[in-house]
């Protein structure tokens, strides 16, 4: 027997060392008995990270997962600010199922049966080739509904010769004695009645500083213009964008086509102009 042990001594030692090493390397299993606080501790990081867990045994919160009060408030704030997407819409509806929630809600700035007083600055593009016209004016709008408004516009015009007109008078290389450009019937003022239609409405985030509501609208109107040589009927039509920042302050910009008859040396001619204006208003 002693001879047999002496023969297999080294192989047995190797097997024992391998068995000890394998036992030490085996990971210890978590205890399966005792209180359930250990399981709750292991699940806490998953809940804090915002991941949704399975349905709990407590009262339902409206949707699966655990949401903190701060997360709910942030979600509702994002939804109110920009309307949200489909996932955000479903979650907001789950928070308050009895309320109908739209992706783009109604206007926060009410314009039903309200007046808007808006001074404006305008620049006339095209028209008389020898005269540059700018104007200052005042607008009074009455908003019947959020989609329709009527208004009155008065504009005072300021005119000056363009470089082409000055060249005719002062450039002796063109003429020996100079010419008088045909600009005797320039615009002095205009009075218009306008109708605005607001078919498109939306919201825009202004560099995370706030949310502005805007309308894209169409405008048509008519009235008369006072010229240096008399009065003429005028008609206009175009489109604009109106921004409503807070319940009282507004900002508009419009691009309109306008036409009227002008008297020149050879008779009357139909003058066609493009008017670009900007208005800053107050709702009351």
């Amino acid at each position: 027997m002693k001879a047999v042990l002496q023969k297999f001594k080294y192989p047995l030692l190797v097997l024992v060392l391998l068995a000890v090493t394998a036992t030490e390397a085996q990971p210890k299993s978590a205890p399966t008995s005792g209180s359930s606080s250990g399981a709750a501790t292991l699940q806490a990081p998953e809940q804090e990270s915002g991941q949704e867990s399975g349905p709990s045994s407590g009262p339902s919160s409206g949707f699966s997962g655990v949401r903190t009060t701060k997360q709910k408030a942030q979600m509702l704030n994002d939804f109110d600010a920009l309307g949200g997407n489909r996932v955000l819409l479903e979650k907001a509806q789950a928070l308050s199922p009895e309320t109908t929630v739209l992706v783009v809600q109604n206007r926060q700035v009410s314009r039903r049966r309200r007046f808007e007083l808006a001074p404006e600055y305008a620049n006339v593009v095209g028209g008389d080739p020898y005269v540059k016209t700018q104007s200052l004016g005042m607008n009074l709008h009455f908003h019947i509904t959020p989609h329709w408004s009527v208004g009155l516009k008065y504009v005072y015009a300021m005119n000056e010769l363009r470089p082409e007109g000055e060249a005719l008078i002062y450039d002796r290389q063109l003429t020996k004695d100079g010419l008088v450009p045909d600009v005797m019937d320039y615009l002095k003022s205009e009075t218009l009645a306008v109708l605005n239609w607001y078919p498109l409405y939306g919201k825009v985030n202004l560099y995370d500083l706030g949310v502005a509501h805007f309308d894209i609208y169409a405008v048509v109107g008519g009235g008369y213009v006072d010229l240096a040589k008399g009065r003429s009927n005028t008609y206009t039509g175009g489109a604009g964008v109106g921004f409503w920042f807070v319940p009282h302050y507004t900002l508009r910009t419009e691009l309109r086509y306008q036409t009227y008859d002008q008297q020149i040396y050879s008779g009357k001619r139909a003058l066609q102009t493009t008017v670009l204006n900007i208005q800053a208003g107050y709702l009351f």
Side-chain angles (χ1 to χ4, degrees):
M1 185 64 179
K2 184 176 180 180
V4 172
L5 291 176
Q6 185 68 23
K7 182 178 181 180
F8 294 101
K9 177 176 65 174
Y10 293 106
L12 288 174
L13 286 176
V14 172
L15 291 175
V16 171
L17 288 175
L18 289 175
V20 172
T21 303
T23 303
E24 292 179 353
Q26 183 177 359
K28 297 182 180 180
S29 59
T32 57
S33 61
S35 63
S36 60
S37 60
T41 303
L42 292 175
Q43 294 177 358
E46 181 180 355
Q47 294 175 358
E48 292 177 357
S49 64
Q51 298 179 1
E52 296 184 357
S53 61
S56 61
S57 59
S60 174
S61 62
F63 55 91
S64 61
V66 178
R67 301 287 183 181
T68 66
T69 303
K70 183 177 180 181
Q71 288 173 326
K72 292 180 181 178
Q74 181 63 39
M75 183 178 65
L76 290 176
N77 180 68
D78 293 341
F79 186 84
D80 290 337
L82 293 176
N85 53 26
R86 176 58 58 183
V87 176
L88 194 57
L89 174 63
E90 293 174 355
K91 292 182 178 181
Q93 287 177 334
L95 284 176
S96 183
E98 70 279 0
T99 304
T100 300
V101 183
L102 303 176
V103 173
V104 178
Q105 300 94 44
N106 292 331
R107 296 166 172 82
Q108 293 184 1
V109 179
S110 174
R111 299 203 312 272
R112 189 178 298 275
R113 292 188 295 276
R114 296 184 69 180
F115 287 94
E116 178 186 356
L117 188 65
E120 76 166 49
Y121 164 79
N123 188 29
V124 178
V125 181
D128 197 312
Y130 300 121
V131 178
K132 177 182 179 181
T133 301
Q134 302 177 77
S135 65
L136 297 174
M138 183 64 69
N139 298 268
L140 178 62
H141 302 280
F142 176 66
H143 295 272
I144 305 170
T145 70
H147 298 289
W148 294 96
S149 71
V150 294
L152 295 174
K153 177 192 295 286
Y154 177 79
V155 170
Y156 173 78
M158 300 169 289
N159 303 281
E160 62 179 341
L161 286 174
R162 297 181 186 271
E164 294 84 355
E166 293 181 350
L168 288 178
I169 299 175
Y170 303 112
D171 193 345
R172 293 297 182 264
Q173 295 181 355
L174 296 177
T175 60
K176 181 178 180 180
D177 299 324
L179 297 175
V180 178
D182 196 356
V183 295
M184 301 305 293
D185 203 19
Y186 51 85
L187 178 65
K188 297 174 65 176
S189 66
E190 63 181 72
T191 303
L192 296 173
V194 297
L195 173 66
N196 298 315
W197 176 46
Y198 308 83
L200 301 177
Y201 161 69
K203 304 176 183 180
V204 60
N205 188 349
L206 302 176
Y207 294 98
D208 293 330
L209 299 177
V211 176
H213 298 228
F214 68 90
D215 286 88
I216 300 176
Y217 63 92
V219 54
V220 294
Y224 61 87
V225 293
D226 287 318
L227 305 172
K229 290 186 177 182
R231 177 172 289 183
S232 174
N233 293 330
T234 182
Y235 306 96
T236 186
V241 181
F243 293 90
W244 325 98
F245 298 101
V246 293
H248 293 290
Y249 297 102
T250 68
L251 182 67
R252 295 170 178 256
T253 181
E254 292 178 352
L255 184 66
R256 296 185 289 108
Y257 165 82
Q258 186 169 350
T259 181
Y260 57 88
D261 290 334
Q262 181 188 52
Q263 186 70 37
I264 58 175
Y265 290 123
S266 58
K268 286 186 177 181
R269 70 174 177 182
L271 197 65
Q272 301 181 10
T273 64
T274 301
V275 182
L276 176 64
N277 69 31
I278 184 170
Q279 306 175 20
Y282 182 82
L283 280 169
F284 58 94

